[in-house]
């Protein structure tokens, strides 16, 4: 079963709403989302050849600073000392490791400005996608229990599902909009039961009944 290609819409939550929504999630749900974010970030970096100062760099870890709005709490930092919202850990072909923010790629490891700007734009797009997910969670926009159970039993019938889709649905998180639409459509088609048509016998009025009707007119 071919699934529709997913799209990402630009949705932006306030810091407060983002934090509130995140705190409402279970540890398992948070873990699934973090795994999803890491996969997206890794895939993004693999699509770019990061060469700076004559060395090839690759992403090995990505961390989000959940205490960014609370400076007195433990923080994440760039190797230059700047406090970070998002920290990227990269290694090169010589085994050297560096921790930095996305705006420091050109400064610290010599990645061309054009490549660094493209990375920033694509990462911002991923962040919009995360906000859309959290917004849908706030609105309880996922599948109901019956549909989730059906999908888990029939997941092999769906081709080209985005990574982590099964984990999302198992943990009662909404899958991407187009994927959810395909699942709902398939579920309804598979579980549809045609109702038996009840033929009602028409009652014929006899002569006496007609006389009673016209007597009232």
């Amino acid at each position: 079963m071919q699934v529709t290609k997913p799209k990402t819409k630009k949705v932006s939550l306030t810091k407060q709403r983002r934090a509130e929504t995140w705190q409402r999630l279970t540890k398992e749900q948070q873990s699934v989302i973090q795994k999803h974010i890491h996969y997206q970030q890794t895939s993004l970096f693999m699509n770019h050849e990061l060469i700076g100062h004559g060395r090839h760099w690759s992403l090995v870890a990505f961390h989000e600073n959940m205490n960014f709005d609370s400076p007195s709490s433990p923080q994440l930092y760039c190797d230059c000392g700047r406090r970070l919202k998002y920290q990227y850990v990269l290694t090169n072909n010589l085994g050297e490791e560096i921790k930095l923010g996305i705006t420091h790629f050109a400064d610290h490891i010599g990645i061309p400005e054009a490549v660094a700007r493209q990375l920033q734009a694509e990462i911002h797009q991923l962040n919009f996608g995360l906000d859309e997910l959290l917004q849908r969670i706030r609105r309880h926009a996922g599948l109901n229990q019956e549909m989730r159970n059906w999908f888990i039993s029939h997941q092999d019938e769906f081709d080209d599902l985005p990574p982590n889709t099964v984990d999302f649905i198992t943990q009662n998180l909404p899958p991407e909009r187009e994927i959810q639409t395909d699942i709902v459509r398939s579920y309804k088609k598979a579980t549809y039961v045609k109702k038996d048509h009840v033929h009602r016998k028409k009652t014929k009025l006899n002569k006496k009944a007609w006389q009673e009707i016209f007597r009232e007119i």
Side-chain angles (χ1 to χ4, degrees):
M1 186 181 300
Q2 190 74 25
V3 296
T4 308
K5 185 178 180 180
K7 300 177 181 178
T8 301
K9 294 185 178 181
K10 287 188 176 182
V11 175
S12 182
L13 295 179
T14 63
K15 293 180 180 179
Q16 181 179 355
R17 287 194 173 184
R18 190 180 298 113
E20 288 175 352
T21 307
W22 184 258
Q23 292 302 320
R24 293 176 188 171
L25 300 176
T26 66
K27 294 296 183 182
E28 292 76 13
Q29 289 175 324
Q30 291 177 357
S31 177
V32 168
I33 293 175
Q34 288 172 334
K35 179 181 176 182
H36 175 64
I37 293 172
H38 184 268
Y39 171 83
Q40 288 185 313
Q41 296 280 356
T42 302
S43 298
L44 187 155
F45 276 80
M46 288 179 64
N47 291 332
H48 294 275
E49 188 175 21
L50 303 181
I51 301 177
H53 300 319
R55 298 167 187 173
H56 292 260
W57 295 87
S58 59
L59 180 73
V60 294
F62 165 78
H63 305 292
E64 181 177 1
N65 183 2
M66 304 307 294
N67 298 320
F68 188 75
D69 296 321
S70 303
S72 60
S73 300
Q75 298 292 312
L76 296 177
Y77 295 93
C78 178
D79 277 359
C80 68
R82 181 178 178 180
R83 192 165 62 94
L84 299 174
K85 172 67 174 175
Y86 302 105
Q87 183 191 70
Y88 299 85
V89 183
L90 286 80
T91 59
N92 61 29
N93 52 310
L94 299 180
E96 298 170 328
E97 181 180 280
I98 189 170
K99 300 175 182 178
L100 68 168
I102 188 61
T103 59
H104 292 185
F105 277 42
D107 296 336
H108 297 341
I109 58 177
I111 299 299
E113 288 282 357
V115 175
R117 285 196 299 270
Q118 181 65 26
L119 276 172
Q120 290 180 47
E122 293 180 16
I123 288 172
H124 284 317
Q125 188 67 25
L126 292 183
N127 291 337
F128 283 128
L130 175 59
D131 275 359
E132 183 199 2
L133 170 62
L134 295 178
Q135 179 78 304
R136 294 181 66 214
I137 291 172
R138 290 175 62 86
R139 295 176 176 176
H140 306 286
L143 300 168
N144 62 36
Q145 183 67 55
E146 189 173 347
M147 290 182 181
R148 291 199 302 273
N149 292 340
W150 179 87
F151 169 78
I152 292 171
S153 299
H154 296 81
Q155 57 184 277
D156 293 339
E157 299 176 15
F158 293 82
D159 300 325
D160 302 323
L161 283 173
N164 302 321
T165 297
V166 176
D167 291 339
F168 264 57
I169 294 176
T170 301
Q171 293 300 328
N172 194 17
L173 292 169
E176 296 176 9
R177 290 177 183 273
E178 290 75 15
I179 301 302
Q180 179 161 311
T181 298
D182 289 334
I183 292 172
V184 171
R185 184 186 300 114
S186 299
Y187 165 80
K188 289 183 176 180
K189 183 178 180 180
T191 58
Y192 173 74
V193 177
K194 187 176 181 180
K195 295 181 179 179
D196 294 331
H197 185 68
V198 179
H199 295 279
R200 293 185 178 180
K201 186 177 180 180
K202 294 183 179 180
T203 303
K204 292 184 178 181
L205 299 178
N206 56 30
K207 183 178 180 181
K208 184 177 180 180
W210 281 111
Q211 288 175 342
E212 291 296 328
I213 292 174
F214 283 109
R215 185 178 294 115
E216 298 295 329
I217 298 177

